[in-house]
PDB file of all heavy atoms in Angstrom:
ATOM      1  N   GLU A 357     -32.539  93.880 -29.442  1.00  0.00           N
ATOM      2  CA  GLU A 357     -32.337  95.274 -29.844  1.00  0.00           C
ATOM      3  C   GLU A 357     -33.636  96.063 -29.697  1.00  0.00           C
ATOM      4  O   GLU A 357     -33.657  97.181 -29.163  1.00  0.00           O
ATOM      5  CB  GLU A 357     -31.857  95.323 -31.296  1.00  0.00           C
ATOM      6  CG  GLU A 357     -31.803  96.720 -31.895  1.00  0.00           C
ATOM      7  CD  GLU A 357     -30.470  97.415 -31.735  1.00  0.00           C
ATOM      8  OE1 GLU A 357     -29.485  96.734 -31.373  1.00  0.00           O
ATOM      9  OE2 GLU A 357     -30.412  98.636 -31.942  1.00  0.00           O
ATOM     10  N   ALA A 358     -34.761  95.503 -30.157  1.00  0.00           N
ATOM     11  CA  ALA A 358     -36.045  96.204 -30.084  1.00  0.00           C
ATOM     12  C   ALA A 358     -36.458  96.442 -28.638  1.00  0.00           C
ATOM     13  O   ALA A 358     -36.949  97.530 -28.279  1.00  0.00           O
ATOM     14  CB  ALA A 358     -37.113  95.401 -30.814  1.00  0.00           C
ATOM     15  N   LEU A 359     -36.259  95.458 -27.785  1.00  0.00           N
ATOM     16  CA  LEU A 359     -36.644  95.602 -26.386  1.00  0.00           C
ATOM     17  C   LEU A 359     -35.783  96.643 -25.681  1.00  0.00           C
ATOM     18  O   LEU A 359     -36.284  97.441 -24.869  1.00  0.00           O
ATOM     19  CB  LEU A 359     -36.540  94.248 -25.676  1.00  0.00           C
ATOM     20  CG  LEU A 359     -37.537  93.175 -26.131  1.00  0.00           C
ATOM     21  CD1 LEU A 359     -37.215  91.847 -25.474  1.00  0.00           C
ATOM     22  CD2 LEU A 359     -38.968  93.587 -25.832  1.00  0.00           C
ATOM     23  N   PHE A 360     -34.491  96.639 -25.973  1.00  0.00           N
ATOM     24  CA  PHE A 360     -33.610  97.620 -25.344  1.00  0.00           C
ATOM     25  C   PHE A 360     -33.939  99.033 -25.823  1.00  0.00           C
ATOM     26  O   PHE A 360     -33.915  99.986 -25.037  1.00  0.00           O
ATOM     27  CB  PHE A 360     -32.150  97.269 -25.628  1.00  0.00           C
ATOM     28  CG  PHE A 360     -31.531  96.390 -24.581  1.00  0.00           C
ATOM     29  CD1 PHE A 360     -32.203  95.267 -24.116  1.00  0.00           C
ATOM     30  CD2 PHE A 360     -30.279  96.667 -24.051  1.00  0.00           C
ATOM     31  CE1 PHE A 360     -31.638  94.448 -23.139  1.00  0.00           C
ATOM     32  CE2 PHE A 360     -29.713  95.872 -23.070  1.00  0.00           C
ATOM     33  CZ  PHE A 360     -30.394  94.748 -22.617  1.00  0.00           C
ATOM     34  N   ARG A 361     -34.228  99.175 -27.101  1.00  0.00           N
ATOM     35  CA  ARG A 361     -34.594 100.507 -27.598  1.00  0.00           C
ATOM     36  C   ARG A 361     -35.894 100.975 -26.959  1.00  0.00           C
ATOM     37  O   ARG A 361     -36.067 102.163 -26.663  1.00  0.00           O
ATOM     38  CB  ARG A 361     -34.738 100.475 -29.118  1.00  0.00           C
ATOM     39  CG  ARG A 361     -33.438 100.213 -29.863  1.00  0.00           C
ATOM     40  CD  ARG A 361     -32.396 101.263 -29.594  1.00  0.00           C
ATOM     41  NE  ARG A 361     -31.093 100.894 -30.141  1.00  0.00           N
ATOM     42  CZ  ARG A 361     -29.944 101.410 -29.738  1.00  0.00           C
ATOM     43  NH1 ARG A 361     -29.937 102.318 -28.767  1.00  0.00           N
ATOM     44  NH2 ARG A 361     -28.807 101.032 -30.272  1.00  0.00           N
ATOM     45  N   ALA A 362     -36.814 100.043 -26.715  1.00  0.00           N
ATOM     46  CA  ALA A 362     -38.047 100.408 -26.028  1.00  0.00           C
ATOM     47  C   ALA A 362     -37.753 100.910 -24.623  1.00  0.00           C
ATOM     48  O   ALA A 362     -38.404 101.854 -24.144  1.00  0.00           O
ATOM     49  CB  ALA A 362     -38.996  99.204 -25.984  1.00  0.00           C
ATOM     50  N   ALA A 363     -36.778 100.309 -23.948  1.00  0.00           N
ATOM     51  CA  ALA A 363     -36.447 100.707 -22.574  1.00  0.00           C
ATOM     52  C   ALA A 363     -36.053 102.179 -22.490  1.00  0.00           C
ATOM     53  O   ALA A 363     -36.304 102.843 -21.478  1.00  0.00           O
ATOM     54  CB  ALA A 363     -35.333  99.824 -22.028  1.00  0.00           C
ATOM     55  N   LEU A 364     -35.432 102.687 -23.553  1.00  0.00           N
ATOM     56  CA  LEU A 364     -35.032 104.096 -23.550  1.00  0.00           C
ATOM     57  C   LEU A 364     -36.239 105.027 -23.459  1.00  0.00           C
ATOM     58  O   LEU A 364     -36.114 106.173 -23.011  1.00  0.00           O
ATOM     59  CB  LEU A 364     -34.236 104.421 -24.814  1.00  0.00           C
ATOM     60  CG  LEU A 364     -32.817 103.856 -24.901  1.00  0.00           C
ATOM     61  CD1 LEU A 364     -32.211 104.186 -26.258  1.00  0.00           C
ATOM     62  CD2 LEU A 364     -31.935 104.393 -23.781  1.00  0.00           C
ATOM     63  N   LYS A 365     -37.408 104.541 -23.873  1.00  0.00           N
ATOM     64  CA  LYS A 365     -38.614 105.368 -23.848  1.00  0.00           C
ATOM     65  C   LYS A 365     -39.370 105.238 -22.529  1.00  0.00           C
ATOM     66  O   LYS A 365     -40.385 105.907 -22.327  1.00  0.00           O
ATOM     67  CB  LYS A 365     -39.536 104.983 -25.000  1.00  0.00           C
ATOM     68  CG  LYS A 365     -38.896 105.149 -26.376  1.00  0.00           C
ATOM     69  CD  LYS A 365     -39.812 104.650 -27.486  1.00  0.00           C
ATOM     70  CE  LYS A 365     -39.131 104.752 -28.852  1.00  0.00           C
ATOM     71  NZ  LYS A 365     -39.998 104.216 -29.937  1.00  0.00           N
ATOM     72  N   GLY A 366     -38.879 104.402 -21.629  1.00  0.00           N
ATOM     73  CA  GLY A 366     -39.543 104.218 -20.352  1.00  0.00           C
ATOM     74  C   GLY A 366     -39.368 105.422 -19.442  1.00  0.00           C
ATOM     75  O   GLY A 366     -38.460 106.239 -19.610  1.00  0.00           O
ATOM     76  N   GLU A 367     -40.250 105.537 -18.447  1.00  0.00           N
ATOM     77  CA  GLU A 367     -40.137 106.621 -17.483  1.00  0.00           C
ATOM     78  C   GLU A 367     -38.863 106.447 -16.654  1.00  0.00           C
ATOM     79  O   GLU A 367     -38.446 105.313 -16.371  1.00  0.00           O
ATOM     80  CB  GLU A 367     -41.373 106.639 -16.590  1.00  0.00           C
ATOM     81  CG  GLU A 367     -42.658 106.897 -17.351  1.00  0.00           C
ATOM     82  CD  GLU A 367     -43.891 106.736 -16.477  1.00  0.00           C
ATOM     83  OE1 GLU A 367     -43.977 107.451 -15.456  1.00  0.00           O
ATOM     84  OE2 GLU A 367     -44.747 105.892 -16.806  1.00  0.00           O
ATOM     85  N   PRO A 368     -38.220 107.549 -16.249  1.00  0.00           N
ATOM     86  CA  PRO A 368     -36.951 107.441 -15.536  1.00  0.00           C
ATOM     87  C   PRO A 368     -37.004 106.577 -14.287  1.00  0.00           C
ATOM     88  O   PRO A 368     -36.005 105.939 -13.929  1.00  0.00           O
ATOM     89  CB  PRO A 368     -36.619 108.899 -15.193  1.00  0.00           C
ATOM     90  CG  PRO A 368     -37.277 109.689 -16.278  1.00  0.00           C
ATOM     91  CD  PRO A 368     -38.554 108.950 -16.573  1.00  0.00           C
ATOM     92  N   ASP A 369     -38.173 106.534 -13.591  1.00  0.00           N
ATOM     93  CA  ASP A 369     -38.269 105.704 -12.387  1.00  0.00           C
ATOM     94  C   ASP A 369     -38.913 104.354 -12.668  1.00  0.00           C
ATOM     95  O   ASP A 369     -39.224 103.599 -11.739  1.00  0.00           O
ATOM     96  CB  ASP A 369     -39.038 106.439 -11.298  1.00  0.00           C
ATOM     97  CG  ASP A 369     -40.519 106.619 -11.629  1.00  0.00           C
ATOM     98  OD1 ASP A 369     -40.896 106.388 -12.800  1.00  0.00           O
ATOM     99  OD2 ASP A 369     -41.284 107.000 -10.726  1.00  0.00           O
TER     100      ASP A 369
END
Side-chain angles (χ1 to χ4, degrees):
E357 172 91 13
L359 293 173
F360 269 47
R361 294 300 171 200
L364 288 176
K365 301 176 183 178
E367 298 173 58
D369 68 347

